[in-house]
Amino acid sequence: MKRIDVAIAIVLRESKLLIARRKAGGPLGGYWEFPGGKRHRNETLQACLARELWEELAIRAKPVLSFSSITHSYSHELVCLHPFLCIHQSGEPRAIGCEEARWIDPSQLRQYQFPPANAQLIDQLIQALPPNSWNIDQGMPAGGTFEGLAYRS
């Protein structure tokens, strides 16, 4: 089975997360996702993340934390997600490589249909990012713990 490495960004701006709706007609069309995409050969995960955010949404974001990788087996491929918590730096999201993008509260994540590979990550985010838990100026959590996360400088 073919393995695909995917870098995904959980982009945070003023306690809101950025999600994007996949284009209809493609794999998992109409589902919501965290922006990101397939890593190219010899590309670092961080470079992949920056490229995908720019190509899909015309934004820049700084990775500050990485979650443990998530491997999920679909019928046609094995997907390894590499999620990063990122701080929005510049640009207003434009739906270039997706149908639409929106900023939501982490508590709203379960109101959107995400691919099955994201289920565990969504649970972690809801627990780790309660409303108003992120201190954007210092770039670190204001309270609570981030189980399953590793700090990236």
Side-chain angles (χ1 to χ4, degrees):
M1 184 177 292
K2 182 179 176 182
R3 175 189 158 135
I4 297 175
D5 286 300
V6 177
I8 59 173
I10 295 99
V11 181
L12 196 63
R13 179 175 80 178
E14 298 175 8
S15 298
K16 302 276 187 186
L17 296 177
L18 182 62
I19 61 172
R21 188 190 310 251
R22 297 173 72 106
K23 288 186 176 183
L28 302 170
Y31 278 61
W32 290 88
E33 66 181 357
F34 298 106
K38 297 175 187 173
R39 178 169 64 166
H40 294 167
R41 185 194 312 240
N42 299 324
E43 183 178 46
T44 67
L45 291 169
Q46 291 82 356
C48 173
L49 205 61
R51 176 182 54 75
E52 289 286 346
L53 289 173
W54 185 253
E55 289 176 358
E56 289 183 8
L57 299 161
I59 66 167
R60 303 265 187 233
K62 177 183 178 182
V64 292
L65 295 169
S66 65
F67 284 77
S68 299
S69 297
I70 300 165
T71 302
H72 187 83
S73 181
Y74 288 100
S75 61
H76 58 289
E77 62 193 6
L78 183 68
V79 176
C80 186
L81 301 177
H82 303 278
F84 292 85
L85 187 63
C86 302
I87 302 299
H88 178 262
Q89 291 183 304
S90 65
E92 194 56 42
R94 295 189 333 229
I96 300 167
C98 59
E99 265 187 37
E100 85 178 270
R102 63 174 69 161
W103 295 100
I104 65 166
D105 288 318
S107 63
Q108 296 175 299
L109 283 168
R110 288 194 183 104
Q111 296 173 22
Y112 296 86
Q113 184 178 24
F114 280 79
N118 288 276
Q120 176 187 357
L121 178 60
I122 288 170
D123 289 342
Q124 287 179 326
L125 287 171
I126 290 169
Q127 289 178 347
L129 296 173
N132 303 314
S133 69
W134 190 261
N135 183 334
I136 198 79
D137 294 327
Q138 294 185 15
M140 291 296 293
T145 62
F146 285 110
E147 292 184 29
L149 295 178
Y151 180 69
R152 294 236 185 233
S153 54

